[in-house]
Amino acid sequence: MAVTCQTPPSEHLDGVGYLFGYPIAHSLSPLFHQTIYDALGLNWTQFPLPSTDMSHFLRLMQDPRCFGASVTMPHKIAILEHLDEMTPEGRAVGACNTLFFRQSGSKRLLIGTNTDIIGVHEAFYKNIPDPDQVFHHRPGMVIGGGGAARSAVYALKKHMQCDAVYLVNRDKAEVDAVIAWCSEHGYGDGLLHVSTPAQAAALEGPGAIVACVPNFAPSTPEELQARAVMLAFLEKRHKGAMLEMCYHPTPWTEIAELAQAREWRVVLGTEAMIWQGLEQDELWTGRAMGELPIEKVKEVIARQLSKVKL
């Protein structure tokens, strides 16, 4: 049975958007976007919609005041069949986290894209001032699987000059699926599943690592093996940068601690969240990045995260 949520009254608003997913109680997205709309003087709001009811969501999107939506799990793939168009990035990774509208004649087209890709590469470039020394023309590495891994692979290969990408994960079938998908969509060359510490020891060290796994200590034999592979790479002579995508319930994770202890630079997942969200607001408001209150957003998110016990 679908979970449906009623939204608050919105008649007083000029623009309405949604965060569509389930569960989403921990999401910083509504706070993030409200900070931007208030700073720009827009009478807009993004409503959280903790729901699995796709039909209800699509009806809400028909409101002429609706400017778009953030889409999260479990809807990033299910939404695809309801789109009029999709951007090349969205098609390449096979997942949509952002909906926006564009006019074509008399028709208002619903378009999907994936700003997670931008979040990944901007998190590195905005925080690592010397990419030529740190990760350009070195292998990249992704810890995890699924859609998040595809987005990370795409960012590393298409935007960060990583010709090869190592995949580390507890589940070989997930890795095989990522490699098959990326190969089918034109960016699978140079992907390598690294499954043992001995294999890792024989390879060139990565310069950029994207960790896309929850903050749980490994317990199964497969999880322990994947952790050992990661540590084998972290111990290598070259010390690069790691983007730790997990920031809930805390932005500082066990993996981040392990990387920092081995002299890697760690970029928190909130950085990726901020830069992908700013790209969303460029699409929705039509404002250029330089017009958005970037520092104000960072202050608000940092203040909110400071309330979390680390």
Side-chain angles (χ1 to χ4, degrees):
M1 180 181 296
V3 177
T4 302
C5 172
Q6 297 302 316
T7 58
S10 62
E11 292 80 6
H12 62 291
L13 295 168
D14 299 325
V16 293
Y18 299 96
L19 168 65
F20 181 45
Y22 189 85
I24 55 172
H26 68 277
S27 177
L28 298 173
S29 181
L31 172 65
F32 176 100
H33 294 295
Q34 196 62 54
T35 301
I36 290 178
Y37 306 148
D38 290 348
L40 295 178
L42 296 173
N43 185 27
W44 288 16
T45 286
Q46 183 189 71
F47 289 114
L49 190 68
S51 170
T52 61
D53 190 336
M54 182 68 73
S55 297
H56 177 234
F57 169 66
L58 292 172
R59 287 195 299 272
L60 291 172
M61 292 292 289
Q62 293 173 10
D63 185 335
R65 296 173 303 153
C66 182
F67 52 80
S70 303
V71 179
T72 188
M73 298 300 292
H75 305 305
K76 287 187 173 185
I77 295 174
I79 192 65
L80 300 183
E81 65 181 279
H82 303 287
L83 304 177
D84 294 311
E85 292 182 7
M86 200 165 186
T87 64
E89 293 83 3
R91 285 195 299 272
V93 301
C96 168
N97 78 326
T98 304
L99 303 179
F100 62 100
F101 293 99
R102 289 294 180 264
Q103 202 70 28
S104 178
S106 61
K107 187 176 182 182
R108 195 175 184 227
L109 300 179
L110 180 61
I111 302 174
T113 191
N114 191 304
T115 63
D116 288 334
I117 299 165
I118 292 169
V120 169
H121 67 72
E122 287 302 284
F124 280 102
Y125 282 112
K126 298 296 184 182
N127 291 279
I128 305 301
D130 50 347
D132 284 340
Q133 287 71 45
V134 177
F135 57 78
H136 283 170
H137 307 297
R138 297 189 68 92
M141 180 169 134
V142 177
I143 306 169
R150 296 198 299 266
S151 297
V153 170
Y154 190 91
L156 290 166
K157 287 188 64 67
K158 296 292 188 178
H159 295 280
M160 295 175 58
Q161 302 179 40
C162 297
D163 295 329
V165 176
Y166 306 143
L167 300 172
V168 178
N169 191 23
R170 63 183 180 180
D171 187 336
K172 181 180 183 301
E174 282 191 0
V175 174
D176 291 344
V178 169
I179 292 175
W181 176 277
C182 297
S183 298
E184 182 181 345
H185 291 81
Y187 59 105
D189 292 346
L191 301 191
L192 176 65
H193 179 203
V194 183
S195 59
T196 68
Q199 184 185 6
L203 293 168
E204 179 185 2
I209 298 176
V210 184
C212 310
V213 293
N215 186 28
F216 297 123
S219 58
T220 68
E222 294 80 9
E223 290 169 347
L224 291 166
Q225 179 82 330
R227 178 61 59 88
V229 172
M230 180 196 78
L231 290 173
F233 280 119
L234 292 179
E235 297 283 2
K236 286 184 175 287
R237 183 186 300 271
H238 179 75
K239 304 301 181 181
M242 173 187 283
L243 172 61
E244 169 53 291
M245 292 291 283
C246 180
Y247 61 86
H248 175 76
T250 169
W252 190 254
T253 67
E254 183 176 323
I255 286 179
E257 184 68 33
L258 291 169
Q260 186 182 68
R262 288 157 180 80
E263 300 181 351
W264 280 66
R265 297 183 231 184
V266 176
V267 180
L268 298 182
T270 47
E271 284 291 306
M273 182 270 290
I274 286 170
W275 291 104
Q276 69 82 25
L278 290 167
E279 174 67 14
Q280 290 179 323
D281 281 314
E282 276 195 303
L283 292 168
W284 294 334
T285 68
R287 306 289 183 92
M289 186 69 71
E291 300 177 77
L292 301 180
I294 297 173
E295 294 307 314
K296 178 65 174 177
V297 165
K298 288 186 173 184
E299 290 172 11
V300 168
I301 296 302
R303 191 180 312 123
Q304 186 68 19
L305 289 173
S306 70
K307 301 175 184 178
V308 178
K309 291 183 179 181
L310 300 183

